[in-house]
């Protein structure tokens, strides 16, 4: 067994790497997992409430708030990412204000915003401990009751050869983390 000083020499030590991830996301029947370019891992904040007693202040934990997640997608020609995200608005209940009835008839609700897309699942990928060449899912975050609060369709620039990105901000009620049970969860390309 490796000591704390030589853990880097331990062949069973495998750190998680930033570039080894998948984001499971689909709109209707269209799976756009392969469009993910970068994603934040979930994070939370716990408020603190002070209580003053004579010359002392004591702090007590308050509410847990899950922070937004930023997701960047590449916008391909097919499937057209901009079109899918524009369609998300209609699926979530937003109508074009072409008439008074259309402008006041429906609105976006939490139910419609969360059901207009699938659950968002961030999967962590690694090689098996102890060796092997087949990548597998070692853990995953599921964002529950997620919906988009900000969609930025990117920009065009004659001076750049970069791909067009779509930047998304995702709000969710909470996240759940599930560690792999150690059995085979191979990554399907």
């Amino acid at each position: 067994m490796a000591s704390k000083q030589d853990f880097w020499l331990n062949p069973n030590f495998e750190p998680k790497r930033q570039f080894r991830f998948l984001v499971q996301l689909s709109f209707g029947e269209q799976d756009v997992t392969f469009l993910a370019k970068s994603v934040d891992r979930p994070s939370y904040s716990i408020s603190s409430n002070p209580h003053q007693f004579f010359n002392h202040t004591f702090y007590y934990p308050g509410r847990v708030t899950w922070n937004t997640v930023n997701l960047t997608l590449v916008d391909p020609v097919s499937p057209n990412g901009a079109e899918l995200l524009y369609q998300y608005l209609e699926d979530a209940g937003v109508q074009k204000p072409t008439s008074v009835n259309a402008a006041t008839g429906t609105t976006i609700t939490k139910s419609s915003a969360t059901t207009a897309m699938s659950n968002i699942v961030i999967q962590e990928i690694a090689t098996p401990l102890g060796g092997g060449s087949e990548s597998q899912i070692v853990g995953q975050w599921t964002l529950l009751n997620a919906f988009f609060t900000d969609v930025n369709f990117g920009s065009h620039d004659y001076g750049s050869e970069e791909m067009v990105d779509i930047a998304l901000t995702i709000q969710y009620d909470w996240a759940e983390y599930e560690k792999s049970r150690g059995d085979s969860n191979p990554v399907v390309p």
Side-chain angles (χ1 to χ4, degrees), residues 115-184:
T115 57
M117 63 178 173
S118 65
N119 280 336
I120 298 173
V121 179
I122 303 166
Q123 297 176 319
E124 301 168 333
I125 302 170
T127 53
L129 292 178
S133 60
E134 186 176 298
S135 295
Q136 64 184 37
I137 297 166
V138 295
Q140 68 181 25
W141 290 97
T142 302
L143 308 182
L144 293 139
N145 296 329
F147 59 94
F148 300 122
T149 59
D150 189 51
V151 176
N152 183 331
F153 291 105
S155 61
H156 294 286
D157 181 356
Y158 284 119
S160 174
E161 295 180 3
E162 296 290 321
M163 292 181 268
V164 174
D165 291 339
I166 301 173
L168 307 169
T169 302
I170 302 165
Q171 183 68 63
Y172 53 101
D173 289 338
W174 76 94
E176 292 180 351
Y177 184 77
E178 181 181 349
K179 180 182 173 189
S180 172
R181 295 179 305 277
D183 53 357
S184 179

Side-chain angles (χ1 to χ4, degrees), residues 16-28:
K16 294 178 183 174
R17 301 178 192 202
Q18 286 188 351
F19 70 94
R20 304 210 52 192
F21 72 96
L22 290 171
V23 178
Q24 297 290 328
L25 174 64
S26 61
F27 299 96

Side-chain angles (χ1 to χ4, degrees), residues 46-112:
I46 301 174
S47 65
S48 65
N49 299 304
H51 173 69
Q52 295 178 340
F53 182 72
F54 290 98
N55 290 331
H56 303 284
T57 303
F58 300 93
Y59 295 91
Y60 293 88
R63 293 186 174 118
V64 174
T65 302
W66 287 88
N67 303 317
T68 59
V69 165
N70 295 310
L71 169 63
T72 302
L73 303 176
V74 173
D75 188 9
V77 173
S78 180
N80 188 325
E83 179 183 27
L84 290 171
L85 286 161
Y86 192 79
Q87 180 64 41
Y88 167 79
L89 285 175
E90 185 176 311
D91 294 344
V94 176
Q95 292 187 6
K96 297 173 190 168
T98 55
S99 68
V100 173
N101 287 341
T104 60
T106 62
T107 186
I108 192 168
T109 65
K110 183 166 183 169
S111 175
S112 64

